[in-house]
PDB file of all heavy atoms in Angstrom:
ATOM      1  N   PHE A  42       0.864  -0.218 -11.151  1.00 98.00           N
ATOM      2  CA  PHE A  42       1.853   0.767 -10.717  1.00 98.00           C
ATOM      3  C   PHE A  42       3.231   0.112 -10.693  1.00 98.00           C
ATOM      4  O   PHE A  42       3.433  -0.895 -10.027  1.00 98.00           O
ATOM      5  CB  PHE A  42       1.446   1.216  -9.311  1.00 98.00           C
ATOM      6  CG  PHE A  42       2.364   2.177  -8.640  1.00 98.00           C
ATOM      7  CD1 PHE A  42       2.397   3.510  -9.022  1.00 98.00           C
ATOM      8  CD2 PHE A  42       3.183   1.771  -7.596  1.00 98.00           C
ATOM      9  CE1 PHE A  42       3.226   4.406  -8.378  1.00 98.00           C
ATOM     10  CE2 PHE A  42       4.017   2.668  -6.951  1.00 98.00           C
ATOM     11  CZ  PHE A  42       4.037   3.984  -7.344  1.00 98.00           C
ATOM     12  N   GLU A  84       6.006   4.966 -12.352  1.00 98.00           N
ATOM     13  CA  GLU A  84       6.336   5.911 -11.273  1.00 98.00           C
ATOM     14  C   GLU A  84       7.716   6.502 -11.549  1.00 98.00           C
ATOM     15  O   GLU A  84       8.506   5.936 -12.299  1.00 98.00           O
ATOM     16  CB  GLU A  84       6.314   5.107  -9.950  1.00 98.00           C
ATOM     17  CG  GLU A  84       6.685   5.832  -8.694  1.00 98.00           C
ATOM     18  CD  GLU A  84       8.161   5.798  -8.363  1.00 98.00           C
ATOM     19  OE1 GLU A  84       8.966   5.237  -9.131  1.00 98.00           O
ATOM     20  OE2 GLU A  84       8.513   6.368  -7.313  1.00 98.00           O
ATOM     21  N   ASP A  85       8.034   7.632 -10.925  1.00 98.00           N
ATOM     22  CA  ASP A  85       9.398   8.140 -11.056  1.00 98.00           C
ATOM     23  C   ASP A  85       9.785   9.058  -9.903  1.00 98.00           C
ATOM     24  O   ASP A  85       8.933   9.757  -9.342  1.00 98.00           O
ATOM     25  CB  ASP A  85       9.568   8.913 -12.366  1.00 98.00           C
ATOM     26  CG  ASP A  85      11.042   9.051 -12.738  1.00 98.00           C
ATOM     27  OD1 ASP A  85      11.823   8.145 -12.389  1.00 98.00           O
ATOM     28  OD2 ASP A  85      11.416  10.053 -13.363  1.00 98.00           O
ATOM     29  N   THR A 131       5.303   9.266 -15.244  1.00 98.00           N
ATOM     30  CA  THR A 131       5.428  10.304 -14.232  1.00 98.00           C
ATOM     31  C   THR A 131       6.462  11.318 -14.691  1.00 98.00           C
ATOM     32  O   THR A 131       7.594  10.954 -15.030  1.00 98.00           O
ATOM     33  CB  THR A 131       5.878   9.679 -12.904  1.00 98.00           C
ATOM     34  OG1 THR A 131       4.909   8.713 -12.525  1.00 98.00           O
ATOM     35  CG2 THR A 131       6.046  10.717 -11.816  1.00 98.00           C
ATOM     36  N   VAL A 162       3.370  15.062 -10.832  1.00 96.00           N
ATOM     37  CA  VAL A 162       3.942  15.124  -9.480  1.00 96.00           C
ATOM     38  C   VAL A 162       4.785  16.393  -9.351  1.00 96.00           C
ATOM     39  O   VAL A 162       5.279  16.939 -10.343  1.00 96.00           O
ATOM     40  CB  VAL A 162       4.809  13.884  -9.135  1.00 96.00           C
ATOM     41  CG1 VAL A 162       3.993  12.609  -9.232  1.00 96.00           C
ATOM     42  CG2 VAL A 162       6.048  13.785 -10.014  1.00 96.00           C
ATOM     43  N   ARG A 181       5.108  22.663   0.512  1.00 90.00           N
ATOM     44  CA  ARG A 181       4.044  22.002  -0.242  1.00 90.00           C
ATOM     45  C   ARG A 181       3.051  22.990  -0.872  1.00 90.00           C
ATOM     46  O   ARG A 181       2.705  22.876  -2.047  1.00 90.00           O
ATOM     47  CB  ARG A 181       3.299  21.016   0.654  1.00 90.00           C
ATOM     48  CG  ARG A 181       2.145  20.324  -0.061  1.00 90.00           C
ATOM     49  CD  ARG A 181       1.405  19.345   0.803  1.00 90.00           C
ATOM     50  NE  ARG A 181       2.229  18.202   1.116  1.00 90.00           N
ATOM     51  CZ  ARG A 181       2.863  18.039   2.269  1.00 90.00           C
ATOM     52  NH1 ARG A 181       2.731  18.928   3.222  1.00 90.00           N
ATOM     53  NH2 ARG A 181       3.597  16.977   2.475  1.00 90.00           N
ATOM     54  N   TYR A 185       2.258  23.261  -4.870  1.00 93.00           N
ATOM     55  CA  TYR A 185       0.953  23.076  -5.519  1.00 93.00           C
ATOM     56  C   TYR A 185       0.487  24.349  -6.222  1.00 93.00           C
ATOM     57  O   TYR A 185      -0.156  24.280  -7.272  1.00 93.00           O
ATOM     58  CB  TYR A 185      -0.087  22.562  -4.519  1.00 93.00           C
ATOM     59  CG  TYR A 185      -0.014  21.060  -4.345  1.00 93.00           C
ATOM     60  CD1 TYR A 185       0.286  20.472  -3.128  1.00 93.00           C
ATOM     61  CD2 TYR A 185      -0.231  20.217  -5.435  1.00 93.00           C
ATOM     62  CE1 TYR A 185       0.369  19.092  -2.982  1.00 93.00           C
ATOM     63  CE2 TYR A 185      -0.145  18.833  -5.301  1.00 93.00           C
ATOM     64  CZ  TYR A 185       0.144  18.276  -4.074  1.00 93.00           C
ATOM     65  OH  TYR A 185       0.226  16.918  -3.952  1.00 93.00           O
ATOM     66  N   ALA A 253      -1.800  12.038  -7.607  1.00 94.00           N
ATOM     67  CA  ALA A 253      -1.860  11.263  -6.361  1.00 94.00           C
ATOM     68  C   ALA A 253      -1.800  12.139  -5.125  1.00 94.00           C
ATOM     69  O   ALA A 253      -1.229  11.738  -4.121  1.00 94.00           O
ATOM     70  CB  ALA A 253      -0.709  10.245  -6.337  1.00 94.00           C
ATOM     71  N   GLY A 255      -2.216  13.544  -1.671  1.00 86.00           N
ATOM     72  CA  GLY A 255      -2.712  12.928  -0.445  1.00 86.00           C
ATOM     73  C   GLY A 255      -3.130  13.961   0.582  1.00 86.00           C
ATOM     74  O   GLY A 255      -4.105  13.785   1.323  1.00 86.00           O
ATOM     75  N   SER A 256      -2.403  15.084   0.648  1.00 86.00           N
ATOM     76  CA  SER A 256      -2.708  16.149   1.607  1.00 86.00           C
ATOM     77  C   SER A 256      -3.998  16.842   1.171  1.00 86.00           C
ATOM     78  O   SER A 256      -4.427  16.703   0.022  1.00 86.00           O
ATOM     79  CB  SER A 256      -1.566  17.166   1.608  1.00 86.00           C
ATOM     80  OG  SER A 256      -1.453  17.760   0.333  1.00 86.00           O
ATOM     81  N   GLY A 259      -3.268  18.669  -1.846  1.00 89.00           N
ATOM     82  CA  GLY A 259      -3.018  17.736  -2.944  1.00 89.00           C
ATOM     83  C   GLY A 259      -4.315  17.149  -3.489  1.00 89.00           C
ATOM     84  O   GLY A 259      -4.478  16.967  -4.692  1.00 89.00           O
ATOM     85  N   ILE A 273      -3.308   5.941  -1.698  1.00 92.00           N
ATOM     86  CA  ILE A 273      -3.053   4.960  -0.646  1.00 92.00           C
ATOM     87  C   ILE A 273      -3.988   5.310   0.494  1.00 92.00           C
ATOM     88  O   ILE A 273      -4.039   6.466   0.916  1.00 92.00           O
ATOM     89  CB  ILE A 273      -1.602   5.045  -0.149  1.00 92.00           C
ATOM     90  CG1 ILE A 273      -0.630   4.719  -1.280  1.00 92.00           C
ATOM     91  CG2 ILE A 273      -1.387   4.112   1.028  1.00 92.00           C
ATOM     92  CD1 ILE A 273       0.827   4.878  -0.898  1.00 92.00           C
ATOM     93  N   GLU A 364       5.928  13.183   1.281  1.00 86.00           N
ATOM     94  CA  GLU A 364       4.594  12.585   1.190  1.00 86.00           C
ATOM     95  C   GLU A 364       3.937  12.494   2.569  1.00 86.00           C
ATOM     96  O   GLU A 364       4.011  11.472   3.249  1.00 86.00           O
ATOM     97  CB  GLU A 364       4.682  11.215   0.543  1.00 86.00           C
ATOM     98  CG  GLU A 364       5.094  11.281  -0.914  1.00 86.00           C
ATOM     99  CD  GLU A 364       4.911   9.957  -1.636  1.00 86.00           C
ATOM    100  OE1 GLU A 364       4.135   9.116  -1.159  1.00 86.00           O
ATOM    101  OE2 GLU A 364       5.574   9.772  -2.664  1.00 86.00           O
TER     102      GLU A 364
HETATM  103  C1  LIG B 619       0.065   5.556  -5.593  1.00 89.46           C
HETATM  104  C2  LIG B 619       0.972   6.739  -5.537  1.00 89.46           C
HETATM  105  C3  LIG B 619       1.912   6.931  -6.542  1.00 89.46           C
HETATM  106  C4  LIG B 619       2.785   8.023  -6.511  1.00 89.46           C
HETATM  107  N1  LIG B 619       3.731   8.159  -7.483  1.00 89.46           N
HETATM  108  C5  LIG B 619       4.645   9.166  -7.387  1.00 89.46           C
HETATM  109  C6  LIG B 619       5.695   9.269  -8.323  1.00 89.46           C
HETATM  110  O1  LIG B 619       5.803   8.494  -9.253  1.00 89.46           O
HETATM  111  N2  LIG B 619       6.601  10.262  -8.159  1.00 89.46           N
HETATM  112  C7  LIG B 619       6.516  11.185  -7.148  1.00 89.46           C
HETATM  113  O2  LIG B 619       7.374  12.062  -7.063  1.00 89.46           O
HETATM  114  N3  LIG B 619       5.508  11.107  -6.260  1.00 89.46           N
HETATM  115  C8  LIG B 619       4.589  10.123  -6.347  1.00 89.46           C
HETATM  116  N4  LIG B 619       3.598  10.021  -5.427  1.00 89.46           N
HETATM  117  C9  LIG B 619       3.460  11.083  -4.425  1.00 89.46           C
HETATM  118  C10 LIG B 619       2.333  12.001  -4.788  1.00 89.46           C
HETATM  119  O3  LIG B 619       2.623  12.711  -5.977  1.00 89.46           O
HETATM  120  C11 LIG B 619       2.079  12.980  -3.636  1.00 89.46           C
HETATM  121  O4  LIG B 619       3.170  13.827  -3.456  1.00 89.46           O
HETATM  122  C12 LIG B 619       1.830  12.195  -2.377  1.00 89.46           C
HETATM  123  O5  LIG B 619       0.715  11.342  -2.557  1.00 89.46           O
HETATM  124  C13 LIG B 619       1.624  13.076  -1.178  1.00 89.46           C
HETATM  125  O6  LIG B 619       0.569  13.939  -1.360  1.00 89.46           O
HETATM  126  P1  LIG B 619       0.785  15.449  -1.093  1.00 89.46           P
HETATM  127  O7  LIG B 619       1.800  15.917  -2.099  1.00 89.46           O
HETATM  128  O8  LIG B 619      -0.573  16.046  -1.320  1.00 89.46           O
HETATM  129  O9  LIG B 619       1.263  15.572   0.312  1.00 89.46           O
HETATM  130  C14 LIG B 619       2.710   8.946  -5.450  1.00 89.46           C
HETATM  131  C15 LIG B 619       1.754   8.752  -4.452  1.00 89.46           C
HETATM  132  C16 LIG B 619       0.895   7.669  -4.476  1.00 89.46           C
HETATM  133  C17 LIG B 619      -0.112   7.491  -3.389  1.00 89.46           C
END
Side-chain angles (χ1 to χ4, degrees):
F42 177 75
E84 177 270 2
D85 199 31
T131 301
V162 301
R181 178 180 292 101
Y185 277 118
S256 62
I273 298 176
E364 293 192 20

